[in-house]
Amino acid sequence: MGNQLLEPTELSLRTIESLQLPASPTLPHLISAVERAYGKPLEFDEVADEVLADGVTGRWVDMPARGLIQYRRGHAFWCRHVILHEFGHILLGHKGEPADGLESAGFFSGVGKRRGISWMCRPTAIPLEEAEQAAENLAYALAQRLVTGQDTCVSNAERIFGL
Amino acid sequence: MIQAAFWLLTVVFVARLYLVARHNASTAFLGATGVGVVGLFCTGQIVPESTLDALIGGTNWLHLVRNLLVTAAVWLVREGVFSALSTEPETKQRVTRRPLFLAALLLAIVIPFTLQSFVPTTDAFIPETVHQPAVYVYATVYMAVLGGLGLSVLRVSIGPRDSRTVRASATVVGIGMGLMVLGCIDEIIYMSLRFAGFSSSLTDMAYLLFTPFFYSGILLTSLGLGIPPMVRLWRRLALVDRFWILVLHCKFPALKAQGERFAFAVDVLGPRPAERLYTLVIAIGDLRAAGQQAKYSPAAERALVLAQRRLTNTFEPLGLELRKRAEI
């Protein structure tokens, strides 16, 4: 079967389209687009291993005036993917409260309801639960735009020249 | 040099034909390269000129056929370059871009050719017959037409471009056309001197310079047109990505524990290698996080860093990027 590539779902593709990113987006383009969709500024924080629970690589903390994305220390490339995953939660409108019916929020449900703060986290275990699967799918689709899909963006001149 | 140009253009034509047939690539330069290949075939470098010319009467009609094909090929190159690179909106409406204009150019070359006193096939058609006014006009018009077309391509080709591949291709084509223009000017000088009855060392030098100028121009134009399909084929093969997939599989045997999710042979040989490499790098990061930042061997670490660099060579440091915002 091989390396099972995540095919972008209809939802992921629709979500990316709604961001109206340029043809060759960079991470700053994406952050700006996510902040616009989110309606709040985002902060990023690289945290030590002990800050996050075992098996959790990153988390998004939704606060009234801003959002905080914490990611586990690691290679920059992998950290970037963890951040893309949290972007997935934000863009898909996930909430940390158990009331939204997403079991994945249960891990932090105790703290999630305090003072209007909610949490979403990215676990390393596979298979991922529903919300995590959706966020991971969107993360891979975003990565495709940022990294692996760069070569497939072809301008009119490139197309005519034969690229 | 003529043979090198022929074989190079043939390879470019085959590569472009393959990409058009299999991968729906643009047909813009397919006609130009195809017509160019037939034109260069008519130079007598592959099959003797006398053999080919004998098939159409044995009175140098091959010379005309070859020149018409080269003119059509250069016009088609110009058409492709203008479609891709010209920024002026009115360019599309220009008379010079209509097929009828090409037909008029070809007719301007054909008419004087037919008015000559024909002689049997010769490898030195111009030196032997340029004293005839009809041949002089025919060859001068041909060189002027080709020089004019080449000059217009040169003007559009050179300049900054967003795409590195297009810039490289257009620049090489432009330089090629520039050399071809020099060849045309040189040949007009040579023919004019001979027609006027001059025969000196200057005439000999002008005669000798034509082939290096003209055919190195054709060679470079062929090379320039070959750059985009070669880049596209190179990207499709993605050998560098496949190499790093192979290395990561060897250096991180823990991936095997993920079962069928990462099968070695399919990963290395399968389609979309860049995405496979990305997925592998992320999976290795996840494995490390699951093992509380477990250390891998220095060689494995190095391989992981290099594989990531392969995927991220255009990125700034993450901390810097996260502080930036960009207008959308």
Side-chain angles (χ1 to χ4, degrees):
Chain A
M1 187 182 291
N3 181 341
Q4 290 170 335
L5 297 172
L6 276 178
E7 295 295 341
T9 60
E10 194 62 36
L11 177 63
S12 294
L13 293 174
R14 254 201 336 268
T15 307
I16 292 176
E17 203 183 323
S18 74
L19 295 177
Q20 295 178 312
L21 293 167
S24 298
T26 60
L27 188 58
H29 282 123
L30 185 56
I31 297 171
S32 300
V34 174
E35 283 183 334
R36 189 176 59 187
Y38 185 34
K40 299 178 206 175
L42 283 169
E43 289 173 15
F44 301 90
D45 188 18
E46 185 182 83
V47 295
D49 293 340
E50 54 274 15
V51 175
L52 297 172
D54 283 357
V56 174
T57 59
R59 70 183 170 199
W60 157 49
V61 184
D62 180 32
M63 292 177 279
R66 65 193 173 99
L68 173 67
I69 290 178
Q70 294 179 312
Y71 55 93
R72 191 186 284 272
R73 191 175 297 147
H75 282 293
F77 192 80
W78 176 78
C79 293
R80 178 191 306 274
H81 185 79
V82 173
I83 290 166
L84 294 183
H85 176 93
E86 301 309 326
F87 284 173
H89 284 305
I90 295 171
L91 294 170
L92 295 171
H94 292 164
K95 302 287 180 204
E97 293 87 346
D100 68 1
L102 296 170
E103 286 185 350
S104 56
F107 185 84
F108 282 109
S109 59
V111 287
K113 287 193 285 187
R114 283 209 315 256
R115 295 190 294 276
I117 298 173
S118 59
W119 311 68
M120 289 299 285
C121 53
R122 177 180 185 268
T124 57
I126 301 230
L128 301 166
E129 297 169 48
E130 186 188 342
E132 296 302 337
Q133 272 182 355
E136 190 68 351
N137 189 285
L138 185 48
Y140 271 101
L142 288 169
Q144 214 170 22
R145 284 297 301 275
L146 286 180
V147 187
T148 56
Q150 291 284 325
D151 286 352
T152 60
C153 292
V154 173
S155 67
N156 187 48
E158 286 177 321
R159 191 188 56 74
I160 293 172
F161 265 77
L163 272 174
Chain B
M1 192 177 287
I2 302 172
Q3 275 207 19
F6 171 79
W7 288 115
L8 180 63
L9 199 59
T10 303
V11 170
V12 172
F13 174 68
V14 170
R16 282 190 173 271
L17 192 61
Y18 168 78
L19 288 172
V20 167
R22 291 291 304 273
H23 302 294
N24 200 24
S26 166
T27 55
F29 293 103
L30 188 67
T33 49
V35 172
V37 166
V38 181
L40 287 178
F41 180 77
C42 293
T43 55
Q45 295 288 314
I46 311 302
V47 176
E49 206 168 335
S50 53
T51 309
L52 291 175
D53 196 47
L55 299 173
I56 48 174
T59 50
N60 299 298
W61 279 85
L62 186 70
H63 202 272
L64 175 69
V65 171
R66 179 181 71 210
N67 291 350
L68 294 181
L69 287 168
V70 171
T71 306
V74 172
W75 188 83
L76 287 167
V77 168
R78 180 179 180 273
E79 182 62 19
V81 168
F82 270 61
S83 301
L85 304 180
S86 185
T87 49
E88 298 163 24
E90 67 273 16
T91 311
K92 278 183 185 157
Q93 273 79 49
R94 275 191 192 165
V95 177
T96 57
R97 292 193 59 193
R98 295 185 184 158
L100 210 59
F101 181 73
L102 172 64
L105 292 179
L106 298 181
L107 204 61
I109 296 167
V110 171
I111 291 170
F113 182 86
T114 57
L115 300 176
Q116 67 175 295
S117 302
F118 288 97
V119 295
T121 306
T122 164
D123 289 344
F125 175 68
I126 292 296
E128 288 176 14
T129 58
V130 74
H131 58 274
Q132 292 189 39
V135 173
Y136 173 69
V137 172
Y138 147 73
T140 305
V141 167
Y142 165 58
M143 284 287 119
V145 164
L146 218 52
L149 292 175
L151 201 61
S152 63
V153 176
L154 173 65
R155 277 183 50 231
V156 175
S157 305
I158 310 290
R161 309 279 166 216
D162 290 339
S163 160
R164 273 188 303 177
T165 307
V166 169
R167 189 171 63 225
S169 176
T171 304
V172 176
V173 167
I175 294 170
M177 287 291 172
L179 285 168
M180 197 188 75
V181 170
L182 289 177
C184 293
I185 294 168
D186 172 78
E187 184 71 350
I188 290 173
I189 293 170
Y190 163 74
M191 291 186 300
S192 299
L193 289 172
R194 286 295 302 267
F195 185 69
F198 289 106
S199 188
S200 62
S201 56
L202 180 69
T203 322
D204 295 341
M205 193 177 72
Y207 180 68
L208 289 173
L209 279 177
F210 173 71
T211 297
F213 273 142
F214 190 83
Y215 286 102
S216 66
I218 299 279
L219 191 68
L220 276 182
T221 303
S222 308
L223 185 69
L225 293 178
I227 290 172
M230 294 310 157
V231 168
R232 183 162 171 170
L233 287 171
W234 174 253
R235 284 181 184 173
R236 284 197 69 82
L237 287 171
L239 295 178
V240 180
D241 289 339
R242 293 182 197 283
F243 167 77
W244 285 115
I245 291 172
L246 180 82
V247 170
L248 292 184
H249 266 286
C250 296
K251 297 288 180 191
F252 294 91
L255 287 168
K256 287 197 184 81
Q258 303 256 325
E260 285 189 334
R261 191 163 169 249
F262 297 105
F264 177 79
V266 181
D267 263 357
V268 174
L269 302 171
R272 295 154 66 188
E275 288 172 51
R276 288 173 190 279
L277 179 60
Y278 182 89
T279 311
L280 269 182
V281 168
I282 299 307
I284 290 166
D286 285 345
L287 282 173
R288 182 201 297 262
Q292 292 294 310
Q293 305 288 330
K295 289 281 179 204
Y296 294 110
S297 71
E301 284 287 343
R302 180 87 185 129
L304 184 60
V305 168
L306 291 174
Q308 289 177 78
R309 199 170 292 166
R310 161 71 191 154
L311 289 166
T312 59
N313 57 3
T314 59
F315 290 140
E316 293 178 276
L318 182 61
L320 198 64
E321 270 197 303
L322 291 175
R323 282 197 290 277
K324 281 187 175 176
R325 301 294 182 268
E327 221 170 280
I328 305 163

